[in-house]
Amino acid sequence: MLEKEFDIVIIGSGSGGGVVASELSPMCRDGVRIAVLEWGPKLKPAEFTGREIEMVGRLYAEAGGFFTKDGDMTIAFGRAYGGSTVVYTGTSLKIAKETVEKWAVPGLEFDNMDRRAEKFFRENNLHLIEDSLINENNRLFVEGCRKLGYRTKRFPVNVKGCKGSSLCNLGCPHGAKQGTDQVQLPAAEKNGVLVVTNCKVEHLGNRECLAVVSEPGFGEPSAWAPGEYRIKAKIVVACGGAINTPALLIRSRLPAALPALGKFITLHPALILVGLHDRPIANFLGHPKSFCCDHFAGTHGFLLETCIYFPFTTAKSCIGFGAEHAELMAHMDRQQQIIALAWDQPLERNRVTVDRKGDPVLDYRASPLVLDALHRAQIEAARIFFASGAARVHAPAGRKFFVERSEAAEVEDLIPRSGMLPGKISLTSAHVMGGCRMGRDPETSVTDGWGRVHGVPWLYVADASLFPRCSEANPYLTIMALADRVAERVRSDTSELLR
Ligand SMILES: Cc1cc2nc3c(=O)[nH]c(=O)nc-3n(C[C@H](O)[C@H](O)[C@H](O)COP(=O)(O)OP(=O)(O)OC[C@H]3O[C@@H](n4cnc5c(N)ncnc54)[C@H](O)[C@@H]3O)c2cc1C
Ligand code: SF4
């Protein structure tokens, strides 16, 4: 076992870890030794090929196919230098005041969160994308919503020099997407932070991490040779994401009794919906996503967003198989796509546990309220597809594979609530939240409002697992704002903890 020693170790380099690393990095000038330990690889620029199967294998945990315990939902999250920010779309939405109020975390104020989110607008170049990069898939969505009187919103994305290749979820081959791999991690390294890739932290001991460095056969070589490491650290900040941080803390058997650890996971369960036009539409050219429809968010608890997914992801999101499925897939160039995201309640039973090997298991069941929301979302998405000119619509809960344009008036009958059967519809999620929720009481929360784990003074959490309930908006900006706040607390605690 090789030995290393640092003052601060950050586990994970995504939205949370990248921000903590850059925010703490000026301390390196005063001799503070900081390392980021990242399980995933740092790909070389030429390795961003845009080929779906190749890229999901290199950039996603379980090649994008992490299943819930029951096997009826797939969960996507990144495993790379930059974490999920390497594969996210960059949809940049701020958390609403009402949501922060629902979170009810003592000391966590909306104005403070909002000011911190604004900082990343500047740092990560958030702006409304040029009109020339808005493709037909996006324009048809706005047109369909407008015809129906549904409110739409155009949101900023975080790109610089976007070439409109629509490959964001496979890693940007042009380095245009401003994730932590492009912004915060290089800034941190410049200031002296060491980022160790291909390094999985297996266990946390008292002020130490046990980790294994491997050689996956692609990407830049890790800063450390393959092998087992014991890394001493005066402060540890866990930023492994809302599945892996709770799993790491559970398998490490921390000295503190924390009944809420791993629990209250929320996912924004999602359905990818497809309308088929009878002509090709520009969907894989331009930036993939710039609009959402929040018309039903307050009343029915779901958001509709534009999207375009790649063949494998699309194929597994549509139900059934055979001639109709093949027809849909043979016409990718005619597809208009919408993703529906449901706001789910924080339920104690929805939780991360670990199996006998210590690997995470996500036990999550979509509640009847979520299924109601996603049922209504399919009906409204079908209306939007037809209003924007689609010839046929595939609704997973539908009585038949396609609803035809001539049947548009009957969508309520043709897409019944009884079709929302687990295992029939293909639910997915890319927004994992909770598991180390913030709060005051160690009986019901894992950290305080500053990410300090109750009863373990050297351990902080700064990632999506801090969310006490879902963010009711795409989460990365909120995670960055929280990570910024945790970094501030770490800085002010160092005089005591680094002695
Ligand atoms: C395909 C996709 C599209 C998305 N699009 C958007 C979007 O447009 N807008 C938005 O707001 N959000 C989006 N999201 C969600 C957003 O990217 C995530 O919510 C956010 O990045 C999570 O931040 P995090 O710090 O919690 O974890 P991550 O960013 O997932 O980073 C965690 C990192 O920790 C590493 N790690 C885990 N365990 C260990 C360990 N034991 N040892 C060492 N390293 C470890 C992982 O390898 C990973 O790199 C998207 C997500 C996906 C997957
Ligand atoms: S659309 Fe823009 S940001 Fe997305 S992958 Fe292509 S160039 Fe990169």
Side-chain angles (χ1 to χ4, degrees), residues 10-18 37-40 60 76-85 87-93 169 180 199-202 239-242 244-245 248 251 289 305 309 429-433 462-465 473-479:
I10 300 159
I11 302 169
S13 66
S15 300
L37 308 181
E38 168 52 58
W39 187 350
Y60 283 81
F77 50 102
R79 182 179 291 161
Y81 173 93
S84 300
T85 77
V87 292
Y88 71 2
T89 323
T91 302
S92 304
L93 291 166
N169 299 141
T180 58
C199 177
K200 179 189 177 192
V201 176
E202 298 279 6
C239 309
N244 278 304
T245 290
L248 174 63
R251 68 177 177 256
K289 190 185 252 206
E305 293 181 349
Y309 289 97
S429 166
H431 297 175
V432 193
M433 298 159 280
D463 60 21
S465 58
N474 305 48
Y476 94 82
L477 263 181
T478 305
I479 300 164

Side-chain angles (χ1 to χ4, degrees), residues 21-350:
S22 71
E23 288 301 312
L24 297 184
S25 65
M27 295 198 306
C28 294
R29 293 189 209 119
D30 301 323
V32 176
R33 299 158 303 164
I34 305 178
V36 176
L37 308 181
E38 168 52 58
W39 187 350
K42 180 179 185 184
L43 296 197
K44 299 171 187 160
E47 289 174 318
F48 287 92
T49 61
R51 289 187 210 112
E52 184 178 13
I53 302 301
E54 189 170 62
M55 296 319 294
V56 295
R58 291 177 174 183
L59 293 174
Y60 283 81
E62 315 301 322
F66 181 96
F67 282 96
T68 51
K69 189 177 174 191
D70 293 344
D72 52 14
M73 264 185 98
T74 43
I75 315 292
F77 50 102
R79 182 179 291 161
Y81 173 93
S84 300
T85 77
V86 181
V87 292
Y88 71 2
T89 323
T91 302
S92 304
L93 291 166
K94 290 198 285 184
I95 192 166
K97 189 165 192 277
E98 307 79 67
T99 313
V100 177
E101 284 166 4
K102 272 193 238 169
W103 280 16
V105 176
L108 187 76
E109 307 289 344
F110 168 74
D111 288 347
N112 184 276
M113 289 287 289
D114 201 56
R115 182 173 52 72
R116 291 177 197 270
E118 282 293 332
K119 173 169 141 185
F120 297 105
F121 267 64
R122 294 184 294 279
E123 203 167 296
N124 294 59
N125 201 38
L126 271 55
H127 61 283
L128 297 181
I129 207 160
E130 302 86 293
D131 285 348
S132 59
L133 289 169
I134 304 278
N135 65 21
E136 215 174 349
N137 184 41
N138 280 269
R139 282 199 297 271
L140 288 169
F141 176 77
V142 178
E143 189 184 312
C145 288
R146 187 178 42 76
K147 282 188 186 156
L148 294 164
Y150 298 167
R151 187 176 59 240
T152 58
K153 194 155 92 181
R154 184 169 172 183
F155 47 73
V157 292
N158 60 351
V159 296
K160 199 183 265 181
C162 173
K163 303 265 190 292
S165 60
S166 257
L167 291 167
C168 307
N169 299 141
L170 301 179
C172 178
H174 307 288
K177 203 171 45 168
Q178 301 295 290
T180 58
D181 57 322
Q182 295 292 326
V183 182
Q184 281 79 17
L185 294 170
E189 287 179 285
K190 214 166 148 196
N191 284 337
V193 171
L194 176 70
V195 180
V196 185
T197 52
N198 305 325
C199 177
K200 179 189 177 192
V201 176
E202 298 279 6
H203 187 87
L204 292 177
N206 185 16
R207 293 183 167 82
E208 68 174 25
C209 308
L210 300 181
V212 175
V213 173
S214 57
E215 174 44 80
F218 50 82
E220 306 277 1
S222 173
W224 294 347
E228 292 180 12
Y229 289 81
R230 179 189 305 278
I231 305 126
K232 292 203 173 117
K234 293 177 180 138
I235 295 175
V236 174
V237 190
C239 309
I243 288 187
N244 278 304
T245 290
L248 174 63
L249 270 53
I250 292 168
R251 68 177 177 256
S252 299
R253 298 176 194 276
L254 297 174
L258 297 166
L261 180 58
K263 296 178 181 166
F264 304 101
I265 294 283
T266 54
L267 295 174
H268 288 165
L271 273 179
I272 296 169
L273 304 165
V274 184
L276 205 58
H277 288 255
D278 45 20
R279 63 179 177 87
I281 62 165
N283 50 16
F284 278 104
L285 284 177
H287 189 273
K289 190 185 252 206
S290 271
F291 292 93
C292 64
C293 168
D294 60 357
H295 196 86
F296 303 94
T299 49
H300 291 80
F302 67 86
L303 187 70
L304 300 173
E305 293 181 349
T306 48
C307 66
I308 191 75
Y309 289 97
F310 310 99
F312 180 82
T313 313
T314 303
K316 72 138 176 91
S317 301
C318 300
I319 58 151
F321 50 87
E324 288 172 311
H325 191 282
E327 189 200 331
L328 186 71
M329 293 310 300
H331 293 109
M332 285 296 296
D333 60 342
R334 299 183 186 183
Q335 288 189 12
Q336 184 185 349
Q337 292 188 8
I338 295 174
I339 186 165
L341 304 165
W343 305 158
D344 48 344
Q345 300 299 309
L347 303 176
E348 191 172 352
R349 66 149 200 258
N350 287 333

